[in-house]
Structures are given as structure tokens and as C-alpha cells.
């Protein structure tokens, strides 16, 4: 994975929403999942064709998601096909009775790299409320126990919101106790069932990022963030304060705190930061291609055009990959090429995916210098 990647040509990661069917009723669900499968979802043959197209784009990482990906009957056939091609495959199923120890063993036997479970609070009260299903917390811990018994790498996904903001310390301890190799942090984006009043404030985002950086120094797991691109800026600033990098040097590689999760499963971090539509692309259950599942602008459909054609030539995706044309402070920020703000949150809050990240407190140097000159 030491090779350079041109995000104008190929993504580092492809998320495929194989189905929207799910038995849970999560209050933040970006997919607004349903109990039964959509009859329009990509067929097995179309799925195989999609996997071939993904592989041809310099073999990016592939993640099966949903809904609940386990409710797709041919899930393991699709995964095995991709793995036999040499692809790095992960999945994030819901912790429901569909996830049995036998299915976990089957996933390991076919060579699945990592298994992700969502855990959004350190107690049943918080997690079950978030997931809209009583007993979800205990069931999740039970499934994680099975996974640990199979010695399969565990990733825990947590959406940070108003509901769990005050229990993050306790949550981090639980992630360590459960033996996770990766804590995947999502900062809530108000789309789907997610509501704006459930988001933490811009100042609280900054506080979370600085806390995560300190945690990363001692945690027995790796930390990665999604819809939190400004965490990279915070890590760089903190490393400058710690004199780990020279002040003024801005390189994404310097913002990587740890990457020992990859020692367990080979799923290495991107060599440079990804953003919605920029190194990251999402394919829906019916083949619609979007910058991400949290930025629901349809750029094309794989039933009509190849994924490569859509990714490389969509005007929306081409614009997203040019941080210098972003509006407001994001466009002039010295960190915009390693951060760029969450295009998903920007779109959800402002209606314009090129606007400034509304939940970032940082004032770029260019604006500070302009203000200083004005005052003089």
C-alpha cells in the first residue's frame, strides 16, 4: 500500500450498500432502513459486475454495508468472489440474531479482513435508545465475544452525538476491554433519520478531537474518524505543540497517529486524507453512485455507466476534489487539502456541498491576516 493514489482517477475505499433491509430502527440511520429488501436492489450478476469494476480501479478497499448487509442472501458469495480476486474486504453488519457464530466462522474462512460492529454507548440505556431496539447492547456484546473467540479483527463503530457525548471516556475503556483493533468514530451528520439537534456543537467537536488525540497516545486500539475531516488539522496542530513535527509543515502522513490495526488484517490507512467523493465513493443498493452515503447527491448509476466513468467524470465529484474552490473559510484554509471539512455535513446543514464546514471553529491564517491588516 505504499503506492501513490491519484484520487482524481481512483478511490481508496468503496462502500457498497448491498441492501437497505435491517431489523433495527436506529434513530440516526442515514439509510432510513426498512424491514424487507427493496426489490430493485442490484442482482447477484450486477453485484459481480460491480466488484469487477471496483477491482479495475486499482483495487481499492471494499466495504459491504446496509441496512444490514447480513440480510443479503448472497453476501458471502459476493465477498468470496472479491477476496479471490485479491481484494481487501470488510463488512459492518448489524448485531442481530442474523449474526451467528457459524456465519462469523464462514466469514473468517473465506478470508474476510475485518468485522465491524456498532456500539454507541457504554450502557444498554444509551446504546439501545440509539439503536431503537431493546436488548441491542447485550446482543452486540454477545456477538463481539463470538468474534474474539474466532480471533478475528474487531472494529467498533461509534456515532458521537448529543446522546453519548458525556460518556466517551467510559466508552473508550469499553472499546479497549472488548479487544478492538480499531475504534471508528463517526461525527453525526443530520441526514436520513439523523436530526440537527442531536449534533454536538462546533466547540464540542473541537474538544472531542483534542481528547481523541490524547487518547491515541495510549489507547490499545487505532482511532479513525469519519465526517470529521478537521480532526486531521487538530492532530497536526497538536503534534506541532508536542514538537513532533516542525511548525508550518503540513503533510497528511504526519497526522496519522497510529496504524497498528493494519498489523492484524492488512487494512492500512489511506496514504492521504479521503473525503466524500475524494478517495471515497458510495454505491447504493440500487446502483446509484454518491460522494458518500451521507451526501445523497446522485452522480450516476452503475446500471447505466461504469463506476470508473462516474467517479472520474461526474461534475459534482470533480468539484469536490478541488478544495481551493470551496466557499468561505474552507476555500482559503491552509489545511484544506488535508481536511476540506465534511462535505456531507456541509451539504446537510447548508444545502451546498461546496460551502464551509459549519461545525469547525478554526479561523484560517489568511482570514486572520486579513482582519489584522484591516484593523491596522
Amino acid at each position: 500500500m505504499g503506492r501513490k493514489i491519484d484520487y482524481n482517477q481512483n478511490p481508496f475505499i468503496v462502500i457498497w450498500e448491498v441492501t437497505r433491509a435491517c431489523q433495527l430502527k436506529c434513530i440516526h440511520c442515514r439509510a432510513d432502513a426498512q424491514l424487507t429488501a427493496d426489490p430493485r436492489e442490484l442482482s447477484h450478476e450486477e453485484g459481480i459486475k460491480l466488484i469487477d469494476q471496483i477491482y479495475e480501479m486499482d483495487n481499492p478497499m471494499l466495504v459491504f454495508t446496509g441496512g444490514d448487509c447480513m440480510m443479503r442472501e448472497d453476501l458471502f458469495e459476493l465477498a468470496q468472489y472479491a477476496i479471490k480476486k485479491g481484494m481487501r474486504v470488510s463488512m459492518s453488519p448489524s448485531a442481530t440474531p442474523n449474526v451467528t457464530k457459524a456465519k462469523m466462522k464462514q466469514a473468517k474462512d473465506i478470508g474476510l479482513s475485518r468485522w465491524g460492529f456498532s456500539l454507541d454507548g457504554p450502557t444498554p440505556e444509551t446504546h439501545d435508545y440509539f439503536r431503537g431496539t431493546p436488548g441491542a447492547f447485550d446482543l452486540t456484546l454477545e456477538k463481539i465475544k463470538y468474534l474474539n473467540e474466532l480471533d478475528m479483527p474487531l472494529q467498533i463503530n461509534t456515532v458521537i452525538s448529543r446522546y453519548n457525548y458525556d460518556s466517551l471516556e467510559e466508552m473508550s475503556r469499553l472499546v479497549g476491554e472488548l479487544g478492538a483493533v480499531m475504534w471508528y468514530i463517526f461525527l453525526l451528520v443530520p441526514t436520513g433519520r439523523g436530526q440537527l439537534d442531536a449534533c454536538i456543537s462546533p466547540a464540542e467537536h473541537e474538544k472531542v478531537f483534542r481528547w481523541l488525540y490524547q487518547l491515541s497516545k495510549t489507547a490499545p486500539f487505532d482511532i479513525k474518524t469519519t465526517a470529521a475531516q478537521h480532526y486531521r488539522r487538530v492532530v497536526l496542530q497538536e503534534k506541532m505543540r508536542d514538537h513532533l513535527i516542525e511548525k508550518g509543515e503540513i503533510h497528511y502522513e504526519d497526522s496519522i497517529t497510529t496504524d497498528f490495526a493494519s498489523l492484524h488484517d492488512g487494512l492500512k490507512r489511506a496514504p492521504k486524507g479521503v473525503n466524500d467523493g475524494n478517495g471515497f465513493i458510495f454505491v447504493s443498493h440500487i446502483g446509484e453512485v454518491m460522494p458518500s452515503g451521507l451526501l445523497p447527491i446522485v452522480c450516476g448509476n452503475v446500471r447505466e455507466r461504469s463506476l470508473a466513468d462516474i467517479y472520474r467524470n461526474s461534475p459534482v465529484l470533480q468539484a469536490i476534489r478541488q478544495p481551493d474552490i470551496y466557499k468561505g473559510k474552507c476555500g482559503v484554509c491552509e489545511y484544506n487539502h488535508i481536511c476540506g471539512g465534511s462535505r456531507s455535513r456541509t451539504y446537510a446543514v447548508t444545502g451546498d456541498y461546496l460551502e464551509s464546514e459549519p461545525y469547525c471553529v478554526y479561523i484560517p491564517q489568511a482570514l486572520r491576516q486579513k482582519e489584522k491588516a484591516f484593523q491596522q
Side-chain angles (χ1 to χ4, degrees), residues 58 116-117 156 159 190 228 232 251 254 264 320 330 350 369:
D58 205 19
F117 277 123
I156 291 181
V159 178
R232 301 174 198 147
H251 304 292
D254 294 322
H264 295 265
I320 283 176
C330 277
T350 72
Q369 291 169 355

Side-chain angles (χ1 to χ4, degrees), residues 13-19 51 60-83 87-96 98-119 143-144 147 150 152-157 181-182 184 186 265 267:
I13 185 169
V14 177
I15 308 293
W16 177 19
E17 175 193 66
V18 294
T19 183
I51 290 170
M61 189 185 304
L62 174 60
V63 179
F64 294 111
T65 187
D68 177 9
C69 58
M70 292 295 288
M71 293 189 72
R72 172 112 185 185
E73 292 184 1
D74 61 347
L75 177 67
F76 288 112
E77 295 174 47
L78 293 169
Q80 187 170 31
Y81 179 80
I83 291 167
M87 300 177 72
R88 296 155 297 134
V89 180
S90 178
M91 65 174 64
S92 296
S94 302
T96 71
N98 286 329
V99 180
T100 63
K101 193 171 184 179
K103 286 186 177 179
M104 288 181 181
K105 186 176 186 305
Q106 183 181 1
K108 181 178 181 180
D109 289 344
I110 66 172
L112 195 75
S113 297
R114 184 186 298 169
W115 192 294
F117 277 123
S118 293
L119 199 58
K143 304 307 180 185
I144 289 174
L147 201 66
L150 291 169
M152 190 170 178
L154 165 67
Q155 173 179 306
I156 291 181
N157 306 322
V181 299
M182 171 75 79
Y184 210 141
F186 297 76
D265 52 29
L267 296 182

Side-chain angles (χ1 to χ4, degrees), residues 357-370:
E357 160 67 69
Y359 280 60
C360 177
V361 300
Y362 182 69
I363 305 300
Q365 288 181 5
L367 294 184
R368 281 179 277 156
Q369 291 169 355
K370 185 177 181 180

Side-chain angles (χ1 to χ4, degrees), residues 172 175-176 180-181 183 212-223 258 260:
S172 67
V175 172
V181 299
W183 192 17
L212 283 174
Y213 173 73
Q214 295 303 322
L215 176 65
S216 72
K217 296 179 180 180
T218 58
F221 46 79
D222 203 357
I223 296 171
T258 57
F260 54 73

Side-chain angles (χ1 to χ4, degrees), residues 132-133 135 201 222 238 270 279 290-291 293 317 339 349:
T133 306
S201 71
D222 203 357
E238 292 296 315
M290 309 176 197
L317 298 176
C339 170
V349 175

Side-chain angles (χ1 to χ4, degrees), residues 253-269:
E253 292 78 3
D254 294 322
S255 72
I256 298 176
T257 51
T258 57
D259 193 20
F260 54 73
S262 66
L263 298 176
H264 295 265
D265 52 29
L267 296 182
K268 291 186 178 181
R269 287 177 179 267

